[in-house]
Amino acid sequence: MRDGALPAAPAIALDGVSVRFMSERGSVTALQNISFAVPEGGFVTLLGPSGCGKSTLLRVVADIIAPSLGSVRVLGAAPAEARRRREIGFVFQDATLLPWRTVLENVRLPMQVGGGTRAASGGRGPEELLALVGLAGWEKALPRELSGGMRQRVSIARALLGGPKILLMDEPFGALDEITRDRLNEELLGIWRETGTTILFVTHSIHEAAYLGQLVLMLAARPGRVRELIPVDLPEPRHLAMRETAGFVALAARLRAVLETC
Amino acid sequence: MDVMVPSVTLDRSVDAWQAAQRWARWKRRLLPLAGAFSLLFLWWALVTVFDVKPFIAPAPQVVAATLIQKYDVLLSNLLPTAIEAVSGFVAGNLAAIAIATLFVHRKSVEMAFFPIVVLINSIPVVAKAPILILLLGNGMAPKIAIAAVICLFPTLVNMVRGLEAVSPQALELMHVLSASKWEIFIRLRLQSSVPYLFAALKIAASASVVGAIVGEWIGSQQGIGALIIQATYNFDSALLYATVVCGSTFSVLFFLTIRLLERLCGRWTQI
């Protein structure tokens, strides 16, 4: 169903978005004239050199940063509206768990703030989500008892609570070792297929961008702007062994070539 | 069978290690006691050898005897001091937490008033005490106020730091969840300030006792501070020493109570 042709209705649409930060040394243009759309149910990876504004772009979609220019629509509404309706789940680079709460209490946080008691009625329950990310039986553990990979699984379960239509992920596996990262990449694809969530995923890894995304959005740095949109023509469903195939190697080489010109 | 040999060797080394651990544990308990007793002995020896007059410095056994004989006088004077210290501790810390909450949410208030708090804190207690006694009279109120003022500063400074010790990402998370300022305060800021709060409360516990005693020095008929002054004027050095022992024992117990509360309250602080 999500294979091949992408559905038309965009879940996220940016049109001419610019973000400027003011500082004592003058203004810095973090993003310049960004226009792109993420189709509903799509998986788009954001790739670019450091300082290209990938994280800023994600924060514009999540209504954490307001754009200086241009328009952002999330599921046809303003980002603030989508945020209030709990259409957006956000996964940060570090898991950002509250250390005094158990795993289960951390996953429940979205139900306890921001009118979440009503918003979280849809979708799977906290226990079910913990099982989905492979942490059944760890409900009572404290974050400090978990490995980095497990903490990030908890934060993914938390982001999925209430069944958001969009998942924004900011280099979620960037701090993990390669073995854990591979496993989590594979599991994330499983979750994506199972939940049908639209995912916008920031990474600085070429392999991750190519392996996960249906579309790679390449950004150039200083100022951050769209360099190229590269469709990923790999068969679905993806699996890790695919990274040895000629098609994947050629794609990775092409991504690297484009990245070097950014 | 010779497979057994290395395992026996291992067991022996485990035994030796455990014995060393046990001995280390006993050393940790016994050495402080040994230190205290050796100093008591030195005190006794100095008083005896140099034949120090009892009104200048009493021998330790005389102080111990006074502690037992006059325990009713000591306890009836400790009670008001304890009430003043604990009331001041509660009032001062509650005020500090309230002011810190205001400072964190209204930066302009912090900018306007924090320098004044620093200024007031820089005035020595012995200078603040007469001012408060003139304002509040001769009862318990000024002593409670002095204890409260002493507690206020460390807790205020630590609490502001604690309430702000929230990672930017945690704040972004709360924003994405559309949490209100109140929810952020209750679910995030208050919780992450707990370790900072207890660090301040442990300082405040001892400081509040000092505040109450200083307040009693300046004008009071009862309390540990008043008894210290009386005993000094009467050259009753044994009572003076016994009073000091009584006051500091209370201070240590107060401190230990706060530390116990911290242990019960903050399992996440011991990372």
Side-chain angles (χ1 to χ4, degrees):
Chain A
M1 28 175 231
R2 259 180 304 282
D3 310 2
L6 300 165
I12 303 167
L14 279 77
D15 189 15
V17 167
S18 295
V19 171
R20 234 187 334 258
F21 292 121
M22 301 310 232
S23 74
E24 279 168 13
R25 277 163 288 150
S27 77
V28 180
T29 305
L31 294 172
Q32 194 175 54
N33 197 21
I34 305 265
S35 300
F36 77 95
V38 181
E40 203 165 333
F43 198 137
V44 173
T45 48
L46 266 169
L47 184 63
S50 57
C52 71
K54 303 182 290 260
S55 295
T56 306
L57 188 52
L58 218 56
R59 279 163 172 72
V60 167
V61 176
D63 187 44
I64 295 170
I65 296 172
S68 316
L69 281 173
S71 91
V72 185
R73 307 298 284 173
V74 179
L75 299 166
E81 179 60 29
R83 165 174 66 78
R84 274 192 292 273
R85 287 204 310 250
R86 287 292 173 84
E87 308 282 22
I88 301 169
F90 204 108
V91 178
F92 295 90
Q93 181 166 11
D94 81 62
T96 320
L97 303 180
L98 305 184
W100 51 86
R101 286 181 169 232
T102 64
V103 164
L104 188 62
E105 286 168 341
N106 264 292
V107 177
R108 278 196 180 134
L109 178 72
M111 295 161 69
Q112 297 162 343
V113 297
T117 34
R118 280 160 284 124
S121 55
R124 298 156 203 252
E127 290 89 352
E128 206 182 333
L129 285 168
L130 277 174
L132 181 70
V133 298
L135 283 179
W138 288 89
E139 290 83 359
K140 295 233 156 61
L142 284 170
R144 66 180 148 90
E145 296 162 350
L146 306 184
S147 67
M150 290 161 90
R151 274 185 230 148
Q152 205 51 278
R153 288 167 199 258
V154 177
S155 102
I156 291 171
R158 179 181 62 196
L160 289 170
L161 189 75
K165 296 207 177 65
I166 293 169
L167 198 54
L168 304 173
M169 307 183 85
D170 186 11
E171 293 184 29
F173 311 138
L176 304 179
D177 64 274
E178 205 176 333
I179 298 165
T180 311
R181 174 191 272 223
D182 281 352
R183 193 178 301 144
L184 282 172
N185 276 340
E186 203 165 23
E187 287 175 17
L188 180 63
L189 283 178
I191 289 168
W192 172 61
R193 281 191 290 267
E194 213 176 313
T195 59
T197 314
T198 306
I199 300 182
L200 186 56
F201 187 104
V202 167
T203 179
H204 52 230
S205 152
I206 290 170
H207 283 82
E208 205 169 54
Y211 174 63
L212 292 174
Q214 298 175 302
L215 202 62
V216 178
L217 178 67
M218 186 81 82
L219 294 183
R222 274 172 280 274
R225 60 203 185 278
V226 177
R227 176 71 179 74
E228 204 169 332
L229 260 169
I230 302 154
V232 179
D233 304 315
L234 292 172
E236 302 277 353
R238 312 259 172 95
H239 47 86
L240 287 170
M242 196 176 273
R243 295 183 304 182
E244 318 298 330
T245 62
F248 188 92
V249 173
L251 177 69
R254 184 169 165 223
L255 289 176
R256 186 177 302 281
V258 179
L259 194 57
E260 270 160 14
T261 67
C262 286
Chain B
M1 271 294 105
D2 48 12
V3 184
M4 290 300 290
V5 177
S7 93
V8 166
T9 327
L10 183 72
D11 280 350
R12 221 174 256 156
S13 71
V14 166
D15 281 348
W17 183 80
Q18 280 175 342
Q21 288 292 304
R22 265 196 301 277
W23 173 233
R25 256 200 308 278
W26 275 109
K27 245 164 62 174
R28 264 200 302 281
R29 283 176 209 157
L30 291 177
L31 282 179
L33 283 179
F37 275 112
S38 64
L39 284 179
L40 278 176
F41 176 78
L42 186 68
W43 173 10
W44 172 83
L46 286 173
V47 169
T48 313
V49 170
F50 293 103
D51 191 25
V52 179
K53 297 280 169 294
F55 64 86
I56 291 175
Q61 73 273 18
V62 181
V63 176
T66 312
L67 272 172
I68 294 161
Q69 281 160 17
K70 298 198 172 162
Y71 83 95
D72 51 337
V73 179
L74 289 166
L75 281 187
S76 68
N77 280 288
L78 178 62
L79 187 67
T81 307
I83 293 172
E84 289 154 9
V86 173
S87 310
F89 177 84
V90 171
N93 286 308
L94 284 180
I97 292 167
I99 297 170
T101 307
L102 179 68
F103 277 6
V104 168
H105 287 98
R106 295 276 179 278
K107 280 283 148 203
S108 47
V109 176
E110 180 177 3
M111 281 188 257
F113 291 104
F114 190 69
I116 295 167
V117 176
V118 175
L119 194 76
I120 292 173
N121 183 60
S122 71
I123 304 171
V125 199
V126 283
K128 270 183 280 201
I131 296 173
L132 287 167
I133 283 169
L134 284 181
L135 283 171
L136 297 170
N138 238 340
M140 272 192 176
K143 286 89 180 178
I144 293 173
I146 293 162
V149 166
I150 286 195
C151 292
L152 187 103
F153 190 75
T155 306
L156 176 61
V157 172
N158 268 280
M159 199 63 192
V160 168
R161 258 179 54 200
L163 290 174
E164 283 174 347
V166 176
S167 79
Q169 286 200 348
L171 286 174
E172 286 185 348
L173 170 71
M174 290 308 236
H175 177 80
V176 170
L177 295 173
S178 309
S180 66
K181 274 199 159 184
W182 171 249
E183 284 168 338
I184 293 173
F185 181 73
I186 290 293
R187 306 260 181 211
L188 198 61
R189 292 189 185 278
L190 214 52
Q191 306 263 17
S192 48
S193 73
V194 169
Y196 292 83
L197 176 63
F198 273 106
L201 291 185
K202 282 188 280 187
I203 299 169
S206 315
S208 68
V209 180
V210 174
I213 290 174
V214 170
E216 287 164 353
W217 271 359
I218 293 171
S220 188
Q221 313 308 316
Q222 52 170 3
I224 293 294
L227 202 57
I228 287 174
I229 298 287
Q230 278 173 34
T232 311
Y233 286 166
N234 296 337
F235 292 103
D236 189 348
S237 68
L239 181 63
L240 173 63
Y241 278 52
T243 311
V244 170
V245 169
C246 199
S248 55
T249 305
F250 173 72
S251 190
V252 168
L253 287 178
F254 196 8
F255 174 87
L256 290 177
T257 309
I258 302 300
R259 209 173 69 168
L260 187 71
L261 275 179
E262 181 184 28
R263 294 256 167 94
L264 290 176
C265 200
R267 52 180 178 170
W268 67 93
T269 55
Q270 7 157 345
I271 292 167

